[in-house]
Amino acid sequence: MTSLTLVTGGTGTLGRLVVPLLRDAGRRVRVLSRGGHAPQEGAQFVTGVEFVTGDVSTGEGLDAAVKGAGTIVHCAGSAKGDEVKARNLVRAASRADGPHLVFVSVVGADRVPVVSGVDRAMFGYFAAKREAERVVAGCGLPWTTLRATQFHDWIWTTLGQMAAVPLPVLPTWAGVRFQPVDAGEVAARLAALALGAPAGLVPDLAGPRVYPMEDLARDYLRAGGRRRLVTPMPAPGRAARAFRAGANLPLDGADLGGRTWEEFLAGRAR
C-alpha cells in the first residue's frame, strides 16, 4: 500500500500537529485545505508536505485529493455539519483505492441525546459526530475511529467567549465536569493509528484529571489576571442532563494523557 497519507483539516488545531508526526515517520503527506497552501504562520513545519485545494463540506476537489492515498486522517471538523463532511469524504474515498480512513470523534457521541431544539442548539456537535461515526463505520472501507474528550484549547476558547459577554458574573453550566486532553497527545495517537492497521472503534482518549466547569472558569480568569464571580447555572434539555451525569467523560478502559490543564495554562503564560 502507498505511503501517501491525506490529512483533512491539516492546518487546524489538531491537523497541524498530526502532519509533522506523519512526515517524520516517513510518510508522504498531503494536506487538504480550502486555500490549498501552507499557512504563513508556523509554515516551517510543513517542509516537503503537499497542499491541495478542496472542501469536505461541499465535496469539491475531493476526488483529486484522495487519489493515491493509502490512508486518510480526517481531522476537518466544526461546530456543525460533520456528518456531511464525512459523507462527502467517504464517497470520494470509495471511488479511490480503498484507503484506511482514520476519524477523530468525541467522547460521549453515543451517550449525549440530542432530541430537542435546545439540545441541538447547545450540543448538536455530538449528534453530528455520532452520525459521522456511523458513516465511517458503514462505508465499506477499512476504518479506525478515536473518540477524545474536549481539548484544553477548546476549554480555553469556550471560556474566553463566555467571559467576553459584558456581565458582572461568568456563568457556567452547573454540575458539568470536563476531563480535557492535550491536542498534542491526541495528534500522537491519531498518527500512531494512521501508521497501523485498521482497528475499528479504539479506546477513548482523555486527559488525566476531571474538573468541575466552575474550577476551570476560575483558573481561566486567574490566568488572565481577571476578576469575576463564577456562577454555575443549570442548562435545560436532555443533553445537558446527560452532561451533568458525566456522559462527556470517558468510560472505564480509556487511555489517559499526561498533560494537565494546569500545565496547559502554564504553557500559555510563557
Side-chain angles (χ1 to χ4, degrees):
M1 181 175 288
T2 178
S3 61
L4 174 64
T5 299
L6 172 69
V7 181
T8 73
T11 59
T13 299
L14 180 60
R16 66 181 176 81
L17 301 176
V18 172
V19 168
L21 295 174
L22 293 171
R23 183 200 57 193
D24 293 347
R27 288 287 181 96
R28 292 188 295 125
V29 181
R30 177 184 294 159
V31 170
L32 177 70
S33 68
R34 283 180 292 183
H37 53 78
Q40 293 301 310
E41 183 178 355
Q44 67 273 11
F45 80 79
V46 297
T47 303
V49 173
E50 175 189 4
F51 284 78
V52 297
T53 302
D55 190 346
V56 289
S57 296
T58 64
E60 182 181 0
L62 294 189
D63 284 334
V66 302
K67 186 177 181 179
T71 305
I72 299 173
V73 182
H74 184 32
C75 296
S78 58
K80 60 182 180 179
D82 275 10
E83 72 280 22
V84 175
K85 297 178 179 68
R87 289 193 192 101
N88 288 333
L89 183 61
V90 160
R91 289 190 187 108
S94 297
R95 293 190 289 265
D97 298 324
H100 172 200
L101 182 56
V102 180
F103 177 56
V104 59
S105 185
V106 61
V107 169
D110 59 336
R111 292 181 284 132
V112 176
V114 179
V115 293
S116 68
V118 170
D119 293 335
R120 192 159 299 280
M122 294 184 64
F123 300 100
Y125 174 76
F126 284 79
K129 279 294 189 185
R130 180 55 177 153
E131 183 57 29
E133 288 183 359
R134 293 190 180 102
V135 170
V136 170
C139 69
L141 297 169
W143 62 278
T144 302
T145 291
L146 170 69
R147 291 172 177 161
T149 54
Q150 286 72 35
F151 298 171
H152 295 311
D153 309 75
W154 182 89
I155 298 289
W156 176 272
T157 299
T158 299
L159 290 171
Q161 292 170 345
M162 297 171 77
V165 179
L167 293 173
V169 300
L170 175 55
T172 60
W173 304 332
V176 169
R177 297 163 294 152
F178 290 97
Q179 194 167 339
V181 67
D182 181 66
E185 292 173 337
V186 179
R189 180 60 54 81
L190 279 177
L193 292 170
L195 295 169
L201 183 63
V202 299
D204 295 346
L205 179 59
R209 297 181 188 172
V210 178
Y211 303 84
M213 190 177 185
E214 55 266 31
D215 288 355
L216 295 169
R218 293 186 185 101
D219 290 343
Y220 170 84
L221 293 170
R222 191 178 304 114
R226 305 168 69 179
R227 291 178 178 272
R228 195 175 301 185
L229 180 64
V230 174
T231 307
M233 302 179 67
R238 288 182 59 186
R241 190 181 313 131
F243 251 66
R244 290 191 292 273
N248 62 313
L249 303 178
L251 299 173
D252 292 342
D255 294 325
L256 301 182
R259 192 176 188 219
T260 65
W261 166 248
E262 291 82 5
E263 290 168 331
F264 168 80
L265 291 178
R268 291 193 67 93
R270 287 199 292 269

